[in-house]
Amino acid sequence: MARIGLFGGTFNPIHVGHLTIAEEARLSAGLDRVIFIPSGESYFKDPRQIASREDRLQMTRRACGEAYEVSDIETRREGPSYTAVTCRAFREMYPEDALYLILGADSLMEIDRWRDPGAIFDAVTVLAFTRGGEDAAAFTAEVERLRAKYGARIEIIDVFMLDVSSSDIRRFIAEGHAFRHLVSEPVYGYIREHGLYGKQ
Ligand code: ATP
């Protein structure tokens, strides 16, 4: 039985913060593999900020290299992605393995408003990490509530995090600031080659 981490995101673009969190999750939960899952729909409306599903998938593949796997389960489907649908699909693909959904505390606080949270908790254990900024007491209370309501398996991991976000990076690129070292080198090359996110 393998311990498999699932890490979804827009990855618009994927950056060193994402890779660091995946590695922290792998180390702290003893994961055998981590699979990155770029989301299907990009919700950004500003044309300078849009990267296509294909571009986000390619950047994620380049960033992960040999270290992590990348799934196109969400990018190959049209329309928005639902975590419940993805988790159920992974449960079917890996019936014998332990699945861990790597999720920021901010996302876990909203999960009860997502489509079919019960299906998510049936399929996976949530590995929740705090990203700073959340109210610790409210977070603990919400974790307890989800455990009681859904029988949710939620593990909290204490991780080292870098203060960088994709929106910061898109803004740095558009404004002509240095972004090269906030993404991995092949992602930097891809962004430049394809002229993504405005001014380079
Ligand atoms: P944006 O700034 O466009 O909202 P983002 O940087 O938050 O993007 P996403 O692709 O939305 O990136 O994030 C995917 C997951 O990675 C989310 O669970 C998010 O909480 C987490 N994440 C993003 N940046 C970091 C970071 N610097 N450290 C740890 N986790 C991060």
Side-chain angles (χ1 to χ4, degrees), residues 7 10-11 15 18 129 131 161-162 164-167 170:
F7 188 33
T10 318
F11 303 134
H15 54 68
H18 295 130
F129 59 90
R131 209 178 162 184
M161 264 188 286
L162 298 174
V164 57
S165 68
S166 298
S167 33
R170 293 193 303 272

Side-chain angles (χ1 to χ4, degrees), residues 43 66 89 111 114 124 128 131 134 138 141 159 168 184 188 193:
Y43 299 96
E66 299 291 301
I111 203 167
W114 294 4
V124 300
R131 209 178 162 184
E134 36 317 271
V159 297
D168 287 340
S184 45
Y188 172 72
E193 216 175 287

Side-chain angles (χ1 to χ4, degrees), residues 13-17 19 58-65 169 173 178-194 196 200:
I14 186 165
H15 54 68
V16 291
L19 296 169
Q58 290 305 332
M59 288 190 282
T60 306
R61 287 204 170 120
R62 281 168 169 73
C64 289
I169 294 171
I173 297 172
F179 70 99
R180 181 172 192 157
H181 304 296
L182 302 177
V183 296
S184 45
E185 195 64 15
V187 173
Y188 172 72
Y190 190 95
I191 290 173
R192 303 245 315 163
E193 216 175 287
H194 294 81
L196 303 182
Q200 315 272 322

Side-chain angles (χ1 to χ4, degrees), residues 18-30:
H18 295 130
L19 296 169
T20 300
I21 208 72
E23 185 62 9
E24 277 280 86
R26 189 183 71 77
L27 292 172
S28 62

Side-chain angles (χ1 to χ4, degrees), residues 67-124:
Y68 311 109
E69 294 155 65
V70 181
S71 166
D72 67 355
I73 189 168
E74 294 192 352
T75 49
R76 69 170 183 250
R77 288 200 193 116
E78 291 291 331
S81 310
Y82 295 105
T83 302
V85 174
T86 300
C87 287
R88 219 184 278 128
F90 272 95
R91 177 41 69 218
E92 280 167 20
M93 282 187 280
Y94 298 99
E96 307 296 333
D97 297 310
L99 298 177
Y100 291 87
L101 182 68
I102 303 166
L103 210 58
D106 50 341
S107 302
L108 185 63
M109 296 287 280
E110 291 171 2
I111 203 167
D112 216 8
R113 293 194 290 276
W114 294 4
R115 178 179 286 199
D116 206 353
I120 300 176
F121 293 122
D122 283 348
V124 300

